Amino acid sequence: MSQTPPLPNDPDHNSRMDRFLNTVERIGDKLPEPALIFLYGMIIVWLCSAVLSQFHFDVIHPIKGHPIGINNLLTGEAMAKFLSTMVKNFTDFAPLGIILVAMLGVGVAEKSGFINTGLKKLLRQTPDKLLTPVLVVVAILSHVASNAGYVLVIPLGGIIFHAAGRHPLAGIVTAFAGVSGTYSACFVPTSTDPLLQAFTQSAAQTFDPDYKVNPLCNYFFTASSCVLLVLVIWFVTDKIVEPRLKWHAPIDHDIEKATDMRSYTSLESKAFKIACLALFAGLLLLAFFIFPKDSPMRSPDGDLTTLDAPLMESIVPLIFLIFVVPGIVYGLVAGTFEKAKDVISAMGETISKISSYMIMAFFCSQFLASFDDSNLGTLLALSSAGALKALNLSGQFTIVLMILLTATINVLISSASAKWAMIAPILVPMLMAVGIAPELAQAAYRVGDSATDTISPLMNFFPLMVVYCQRYVKDTGIGSLASLMVPYCIYMLLFWSVYLLIYWVLDLPLGIQGHYGYPPH
């Protein structure tokens, strides 16, 4: 990110936080391009795997039941496997398909003017002072639609802030903090609840075979946490990050100027209303399709919200339709689309804007595949969990250390389910042995799992965040983005951890059948 000399009336230039963030930014910006970082990281993983594969480790895999061994990735067999799976690693890279499909629909809605007019109407109704918390609330609600927030809410955050005369990067990082930093919290239940519950119950039953964990055992805590997190992110954006951006990240002069987002024509308003009617008709049709008990969109058990339900597996295609249908209708009414070719052109233009992300995704997918094949991540995670167990501390200290351990591991392994699958079989029985219920252990895990997502370059969507920022400040790098996200990470981790401890002291209900102590009273 380009640097500007301190101005005389910059009161925070010499603050400790500002100096710290400057250091983070300087170090981070010395790193090479994200694609090259993943390439170099993959080579380092190969070298480390070759060296560490010569040693024996006593760490036992809690699920497979055998010692963790490091696989040498520099053998002929490993190299052959790497080459033969290179294309598959790329095409199976989960965020890639999500982004391409969702962005096709979003591109049509954006190019037609549907999104612009909708934002204008939203901004006209939202006071400037409440723009930040409203964006955070929308970001948190996007958890219901899995990863939709990364490809929809975050770029819109930049558009909204820019249109409102504020720094667009402040909108992007605010939305990023709301989508990623609060990932395990939401005002309504999400697929994360049963996902984590399954691992927690399985781990608990290694200690108590009859123990059952309710999927909503943390719901009251996570839902109420949203209010706290909105306030924390609001404070960090308005008081720390945006003032810093004003002095350290001038918007590039050659980017497209923000349009007037407070006014719209009668034709635009008419087109928006007709497009919304088309959208409502589509949603009504979907409702009639999914709500019957024999709907093919339900899981074999008749549920709509479990991970194996076709409805949940269709979230991204539905997002595509939710944007492409009103986008086309709006374009036809407003005159921005005159023929089918205009719609295809809108899709092509959108994809061209994220071509740099596709390059990063290629190298990122190869790095993650190598990291997983080497077993280095598994060894680090289980070794850390074992060290925590060996400390044998009191319940409160153990919960705090568990949060910090999870936050640290999260920098290396961003998948919530993958981490919990590895460390839950160690931590959950360990905590049960000292009288702490699995539900409280899971709540602590959720706190640590979310906050550091925003500063982990290994998080699948992190390179995309850099691309979003580069639309407004072309010199933005990983260090620049990390320095902006560090305050969110620190404040959310601190306040959310304290909130959990206070929640515990006050004996407030964690959720449905959510217990603090074991055995439950």
Side-chain angles (χ1 to χ4, degrees):
M1 188 179 295
S2 58
Q3 297 290 327
T4 57
L7 300 181
N9 58 342
D10 179 2
D12 295 321
H13 179 75
N14 292 318
S15 68
R16 290 183 179 179
M17 175 63 77
D18 199 66
R19 291 197 300 270
F20 169 69
L21 296 180
N22 285 340
T23 301
V24 172
E25 181 175 342
R26 283 194 300 271
I27 294 174
D29 281 345
K30 289 180 179 179
L31 297 173
E33 288 292 320
L36 292 176
I37 289 177
F38 289 118
L39 173 61
Y40 299 152
M42 181 178 67
I43 295 173
I44 291 173
V45 166
W46 288 353
L47 295 175
C48 289
S49 71
V51 174
L52 295 178
S53 64
Q54 308 302 315
F55 297 89
H56 174 76
F57 299 94
D58 296 327
V59 180
I60 305 297
H61 197 293
I63 298 176
K64 298 179 181 178
H66 57 66
I68 300 294
I70 300 300
N71 298 319
N72 185 352
L73 300 185
L74 290 181
T75 64
E77 182 179 348
M79 284 287 105
K81 179 186 176 183
F82 173 75
L83 292 174
S84 64
T85 59
M86 181 181 289
V87 175
K88 188 175 186 298
N89 292 338
F90 182 47
T91 56
D92 287 353
F93 188 57
L96 183 63
I98 293 172
I99 290 166
L100 291 178
V101 174
M103 289 302 288
L104 288 175
V106 172
V108 171
E110 182 181 8
K111 195 67 178 177
S112 70
F114 174 71
I115 289 179
N116 239 19
T117 302
L119 292 175
K120 289 177 181 179
K121 288 179 174 287
L122 173 64
L123 285 175
R124 179 174 284 190
Q125 301 298 323
T126 304
D128 289 341
K129 292 182 178 180
L130 297 181
L131 190 58
T132 301
V134 167
L135 177 59
V136 179
V137 169
V138 172
I140 292 175
L141 288 173
S142 73
H143 298 162
V144 176
S146 187
N147 293 320
Y150 290 103
V151 295
L152 175 60
V153 178
I154 295 175
L156 289 184
I159 295 172
I160 291 173
F161 269 52
H162 192 208
R166 299 177 61 177
H167 202 296
L169 263 62
I172 290 173
V173 297
T174 297
F176 186 24
V179 171
S180 191
T182 69
Y183 182 75
S184 287
C186 192
F187 295 104
V188 296
T190 68
S191 59
T192 302
D193 296 305
L195 178 67
L196 297 181
Q197 172 267 342
F199 293 115
T200 304
Q201 178 171 291
S202 176
Q205 288 177 348
T206 63
F207 189 85
D208 182 348
D210 298 323
Y211 200 90
K212 301 289 185 182
V213 178
N214 191 295
L216 299 180
C217 65
N218 291 156
Y219 174 62
F220 300 149
F221 168 69
T222 55
S224 62
S225 295
C226 293
V227 178
L228 170 71
L229 294 171
V230 168
L231 295 175
V232 170
I233 296 173
W234 186 4
F235 170 80
V236 173
T237 295
D238 288 5
K239 300 299 182 182
I240 299 176
V241 172
E242 194 162 15
R244 171 180 169 77
L245 284 169
K246 180 179 180 181
W247 305 107
H248 294 273
I251 303 172
D252 293 333
H253 295 295
D254 57 344
I255 70 164
E256 183 179 341
K257 291 186 177 181
T259 56
D260 177 15
M261 294 292 282
R262 299 287 183 178
S263 61
Y264 42 84
T265 66
S266 58
L267 179 59
E268 289 174 333
S269 183
K270 175 185 176 182
F272 184 78
K273 290 178 181 178
I274 295 176
C276 286
L277 287 175
L279 175 60
F280 179 75
L283 293 175
L284 194 62
L285 182 63
L286 177 64
F288 280 119
F289 184 54
I290 66 175
F291 280 117
K293 293 184 179 180
D294 59 347
S295 169
M297 300 297 281
R298 294 180 178 270
S299 69
D301 297 330
D303 203 323
L304 285 172
T305 58
T306 56
L307 293 176
D308 62 340
L311 177 64
M312 291 294 101
E313 295 175 339
S314 304
I315 287 295
V316 176
L318 287 174
I319 290 173
F320 168 78
L321 293 174
I322 284 172
F323 281 94
V324 79
V325 170
I328 292 175
V329 172
Y330 181 97
L332 293 175
V333 176
T336 50
F337 290 158
E338 296 180 354
K339 47 191 175 181
K341 183 180 179 180
D342 295 335
V343 177
I344 302 302
S345 296
M347 292 182 178
E349 186 176 330
T350 301
I351 295 301
S352 66
K353 292 179 180 179
I354 61 171
S355 58
S356 59
Y357 172 75
M358 297 174 66
I359 296 172
M360 286 187 286
F362 172 76
F363 289 102
C364 181
S365 64
Q366 309 309 322
F367 166 77
L368 292 176
S370 296
F371 195 61
D372 182 62
D373 289 343
S374 70
N375 268 348
L376 286 171
T378 303
L379 179 65
L380 288 171
L382 295 179
S383 298
S384 301
L388 177 59
K389 180 178 179 180
L391 292 176
N392 195 27
L393 300 173
S394 66
Q396 287 76 11
F397 280 112
T398 300
I399 286 295
V400 171
L401 286 179
M402 177 182 171
I403 292 173
L404 296 177
L405 170 65
T406 303
T408 303
I409 294 176
N410 192 44
V411 176
L412 298 172
I413 306 175
S414 62
S415 170
S417 57
K419 285 193 304 293
W420 196 224
M422 288 188 293
I423 65 178
I426 294 177
L427 294 181
V428 171
M430 176 195 79
L431 294 176
M432 291 174 74
V434 296
I436 295 177
E439 294 84 356
L440 177 56
Q442 180 179 282
Y445 172 78
R446 297 177 83 143
V447 172
D449 175 58
S450 298
T452 50
D453 259 351
T454 58
I455 61 170
S456 172
L458 299 187
M459 198 269 287
N460 290 339
F461 290 96
F462 196 88
L464 184 62
M465 301 305 106
V466 177
V467 174
Y468 288 151
C469 292
Q470 288 173 343
R471 292 180 180 178
Y472 303 98
V473 181
K474 293 179 182 178
D475 290 338
T476 302
I478 285 182
S480 307
L481 180 58
S483 71
L484 294 176
M485 300 313 302
V486 163
Y488 293 104
C489 174
I490 294 174
Y491 276 79
M492 284 193 290
L493 191 61
L494 174 62
F495 282 92
W496 205 358
S497 299
V498 171
Y499 181 65
L500 176 59
L501 295 177
I502 294 175
Y503 208 89
W504 184 5
V505 170
L506 296 178
D507 199 29
L508 298 174
L510 278 173
I512 299 174
Q513 298 175 337
H515 309 292
Y516 289 103
Y518 177 84
H521 301 299

